[in-house]
Amino acid sequence: MDKPTVIMNPPYRRNLGSFITLQNGLIVLLVLILTTSTLIPLILLFSKAFLNKEAEFIGFANFVHYFSTPSLIQSLTNTIWISVLSTVIAVTLAFAYAYGISRTAIRFKSYFHYVALLPLFEPTMMHGIALTYLFGNQGVITNGFFGLLPGLRIEIYGPIGIVISEVIYVFPQAFLIFITALSMADQRLYEAAETLGASKIKTFLTVTLPSVKYGLISAIFVCFTACFTDFGAPQAIGGKFNVLATDIYKQVIGQQNLSMGATVGILLTIPAVIAFVVDRIVDRKQRNMLSSKSMPYRVPDGRVRDNLYRVLCWMISSAILIPLITIVFASLIKVWPYNLTFSTKHYDFSSVAGSGLEPFWNSLQVSLITAIVGTMMTFVFAYLIEKSRSMNGLRQVGYFLSILPLALPGMVIGLAYIFFFNNPSNPFNWIYGTMVIVVLANITHFYSVPFITATTALKKLDKEFELVSESMRVPFYKTFLKVTVPMSLPAIVEIAMYFFVNSMVTVSAVVFLRSADMNLAAVALVNMEDAGDVAAAAAMATLIVATNIIVRFVYELILNKVKKRTAAWQMPK
């Protein structure tokens, strides 16, 4: 009698099972990290809004108190109309600027593009300080360029100053959205409109605007949310004009009223959540706008149009450059505006509220650690969510937690970390007041955009890499290190640059978390401006901007080399 045949799994199946187990373990770890760093602190923050100072449950009493206090409700009203006005101005200017670069034949397009990005490298407080030097009581323009021309007086302290600062702050964000949306035009639609005899205005209204409608919606919500939650500009130039972000600062730092700070934090989160939902809907719809048959847009001849947009682009780019030039100039002037001789004494921060150069070195260290650790975490987490095939439900939870910070203002994250990590019963309490919590807050605050960048890059890679690796019994981590990472290097470099630059300029996420003996450069601007050390604040802002520009330059060099190497690596041998 023949012996029964015993069917055994090949050895590689057992090995593959161990690899999948490791992968599953990393997915669980991913969800635990995101839950601990984002979800639990956020839940704890929201629960504090329903407690009083003695931690007793009082229901909606804090909200009732807020909406029944005239000064507090006025802050909400101020925040809404400042955000609406700033958004309308910024979106209009950004669209015209992006249109001039993408749809005309003007020269110096690269210059205009890079100038538009400069505010991304600048702390928001810097714009307010620059406006003080331009339109303050001793400002350059107020006094007619040192008495050479008639002066122009503007009540810069208050809503006007905040609106101008916010427009500069959100302009590059709207510009990037529009320049992308306008680049997705289909030439066939314009040829059809021309064939049907449509005028230039009608073509613009029926073809151009509909083609960028999702970008327009996205830009409006992004700008409104950024203005609504910004702390730097109102703090620097707002004067007695209160907004929600400064209310949180006063409630927490000034009055030690954490419960009311949590209440205001919830109000600050509402437009961010709405913007987050709208952005997700818009992103899905915008992906389907271009087909494989689309033809790239060709700029038609138009001398009058080009001349008009040339003037417009030079005016807007000059308006962006003037505050930056003013800050650099003011940092090198001995005594503004009485002694205009050049001096570097303001870069000696030992006698001002900034406490020497230590805040700058701290920021540099924090930004480097944030860039390195944040980039590694983001890309690994994105890989596990995008390329894994097991634990689908948990991966969906991880994806939700990864994009959740996109709906959270920085001040809300900072406040949530106070409640969570400052609790003595928390096993992670030891990180409170250290550089670790600042790095963690920065990674959490800026995590969503790099995560989306990483997942977008990973979606472009063929799924066959993972399937072939499995069939050849290659562990997933070897495929990740030897194939995925080299092919995704441009996205990885971009993510690192994004983390670094934003960590250098942020105030809102870390203003509550830095300890007394560990200040940061952007927070030092707040201290210097409060103490009246405006020239020293200008010097610190100059250092921050110069550092970010250098990092951007290095990023461009590395990116060019990486792209060449990636292209050579992808070429068939």
Side-chain angles (χ1 to χ4, degrees):
M1 184 175 180
D2 294 336
K3 293 182 179 180
T5 304
V6 179
I7 301 175
M8 299 182 63
N9 289 329
Y12 80 86
R13 289 293 181 191
R14 292 195 295 272
N15 293 337
L16 185 60
S18 65
F19 297 147
I20 292 176
T21 301
L22 174 61
Q23 203 171 50
N24 292 348
L26 290 174
I27 293 172
V28 173
L29 180 63
L30 175 158
V31 173
L32 288 175
I33 291 174
L34 293 177
T35 301
T36 306
S37 63
T38 306
L39 188 61
I40 296 177
L42 188 63
I43 293 173
L44 191 60
L45 167 68
F46 287 171
S47 68
K48 291 291 183 180
F50 302 95
L51 307 177
N52 60 15
K53 291 183 178 180
E54 289 72 34
E56 298 170 342
F57 181 76
I58 55 173
F60 290 92
N62 284 327
F63 293 93
V64 173
H65 173 69
Y66 183 91
F67 286 105
S68 61
T69 305
S71 60
L72 295 178
I73 197 67
Q74 184 62 49
S75 296
L76 177 60
T77 305
N78 291 345
T79 306
I80 292 173
W81 85 260
I82 282 288
S83 301
V84 169
L85 182 59
S86 302
T87 298
V88 170
I89 296 173
V91 167
T92 303
L93 293 177
F95 179 81
Y97 195 82
Y99 190 91
I101 292 176
S102 62
R103 298 296 179 88
T104 69
I106 61 174
R107 299 175 62 190
F108 307 113
K109 289 186 178 183
S110 296
Y111 165 80
F112 291 134
H113 189 103
Y114 280 111
V115 169
L117 302 182
L118 282 176
L120 295 175
F121 307 142
E122 303 165 358
T124 53
M125 284 204 69
M126 195 199 84
H127 308 139
I129 296 172
L131 291 176
T132 301
Y133 277 109
L134 290 170
F135 296 101
N137 295 330
Q138 301 296 330
V140 177
I141 298 177
T142 305
N143 292 288
F145 295 91
F146 308 107
L148 299 176
L149 296 171
L152 174 63
R153 291 194 173 272
I154 298 177
E155 188 55 48
I156 203 66
Y157 299 102
I160 295 178
I162 296 175
V163 168
I164 296 174
S165 298
E166 298 293 7
V167 168
I168 298 173
Y169 167 50
V170 301
F171 177 86
Q173 301 174 53
F175 166 75
L176 287 173
I177 293 172
F178 285 132
I179 202 72
T180 302
L182 288 166
S183 67
M184 297 172 67
D186 188 348
Q187 176 64 25
R188 295 175 303 168
L189 298 176
Y190 290 89
E191 290 176 353
E194 186 178 358
T195 302
L196 293 171
S199 64
K200 298 291 185 183
I201 296 177
K202 190 171 183 179
T203 302
F204 177 81
L205 295 175
T206 58
V207 178
T208 302
L209 283 183
S211 69
V212 299
K213 62 181 178 182
Y214 295 123
L216 179 63
I217 294 170
S218 182
I220 289 172
F221 277 96
V222 166
C223 292
F224 181 86
T225 304
C227 296
F228 196 89
T229 59
D230 183 44
F231 168 75
Q235 177 69 14
I237 197 112
K240 297 180 179 180
F241 191 85
N242 293 328
V243 295
L244 287 178
T246 54
D247 271 358
I248 292 183
Y249 187 74
K250 291 173 183 176
Q251 293 289 343
V252 175
I253 302 298
Q255 302 178 27
Q256 297 295 307
N257 190 346
L258 298 181
S259 297
M260 187 55 69
T263 304
V264 181
I266 291 178
L267 297 177
L268 207 62
T269 306
I270 292 173
V273 172
I274 296 173
F276 164 74
V277 174
V278 171
D279 184 67
R280 294 295 89 201
I281 296 172
V282 166
D283 183 61
R284 279 197 216 103
K285 291 183 178 293
Q286 199 167 17
R287 289 177 189 174
N288 301 321
M289 288 188 62
L290 268 187
S291 68
S292 59
K293 297 180 180 179
S294 298
M295 297 174 59
Y297 179 80
R298 294 193 300 270
V299 178
D301 295 332
R303 180 173 296 181
V304 175
R305 176 207 62 202
D306 291 349
N307 288 335
L308 177 64
Y309 279 99
R310 183 180 296 110
V311 172
L312 179 67
C313 288
W314 276 112
M315 289 176 63
I316 294 176
S317 62
S318 299
I320 294 172
L321 279 174
I322 286 173
L324 176 58
I325 295 171
T326 301
I327 285 293
V328 175
F329 183 70
S331 71
L332 296 170
I333 293 300
K334 204 162 190 179
V335 182
W336 183 283
Y338 306 106
N339 186 346
L340 300 181
T341 56
F342 285 95
S343 171
T344 58
K345 73 169 191 173
H346 300 304
Y347 288 85
D348 177 16
F349 304 101
S350 57
S351 59
V352 297
S355 306
L357 269 173
E358 185 180 354
F360 175 75
W361 299 123
N362 287 339
S363 283
L364 204 58
Q365 188 176 352
V366 165
S367 300
L368 282 171
I369 296 173
T370 301
I372 295 170
V373 177
T375 302
M376 292 172 60
M377 286 179 56
T378 303
F379 197 76
V380 170
F381 287 3
Y383 178 84
L384 291 172
I385 291 173
E386 186 63 34
K387 293 296 184 179
S388 300
R389 291 188 294 161
S390 58
M391 305 186 76
N392 184 59
L394 206 57
R395 285 193 292 115
Q396 291 301 318
V397 173
Y399 182 85
F400 169 75
L401 293 175
S402 294
I403 59 177
L404 180 60
L406 202 63
L408 300 177
M411 297 196 80
V412 170
I413 293 174
L415 198 57
Y417 274 29
I418 290 179
F419 292 131
F420 181 62
F421 290 103
N422 197 29
N423 189 340
S425 62
N426 188 333
F428 300 104
N429 174 257
W430 62 271
I431 76 170
Y432 189 77
T434 68
M435 188 175 289
V436 177
I437 194 172
V438 176
V439 170
L440 183 60
N442 282 338
I443 293 175
T444 302
H445 185 200
F446 305 116
Y447 177 79
S448 295
V449 172
F451 174 80
I452 293 171
T453 302
T455 53
T456 302
L458 290 169
K459 286 179 190 293
K460 295 178 181 179
L461 301 183
D462 198 329
K463 293 181 180 179
E464 293 296 323
F465 289 121
E466 281 72 31
L467 296 176
V468 171
S469 297
E470 286 183 15
S471 66
M472 295 179 67
R473 295 172 286 179
V474 177
F476 76 92
Y477 51 82
K478 287 189 177 180
T479 306
F480 173 77
L481 293 173
K482 293 185 176 181
V483 178
T484 307
V485 170
M487 294 184 69
S488 304
L489 276 177
I492 293 173
V493 174
E494 183 179 348
I495 289 169
M497 195 273 296
Y498 181 89
F499 270 122
F500 182 92
V501 169
N502 282 281
S503 298
M504 283 294 295
V505 302
T506 187
V507 176
S508 57
V510 298
V511 69
F512 299 134
L513 300 175
R514 53 94 187 176
S515 61
D517 57 347
M518 198 209 71
N519 204 358
L520 298 169
V523 180
L525 289 179
V526 179
N527 300 335
M528 292 176 187
E529 201 271 339
D530 284 344
D533 300 319
V534 185
M540 183 64 78
T542 302
L543 287 178
I544 294 172
V545 175
T547 301
N548 284 337
I549 290 176
I550 291 171
V551 168
R552 175 73 188 197
F553 178 73
V554 172
Y555 157 76
E556 296 283 356
L557 292 178
I558 295 175
L559 190 63
N560 288 335
K561 290 185 178 180
V562 165
K563 284 182 177 179
K564 290 178 181 178
R565 184 174 298 178
T566 304
W569 193 86
Q570 292 176 335
M571 287 179 64
K573 303 265 172 114

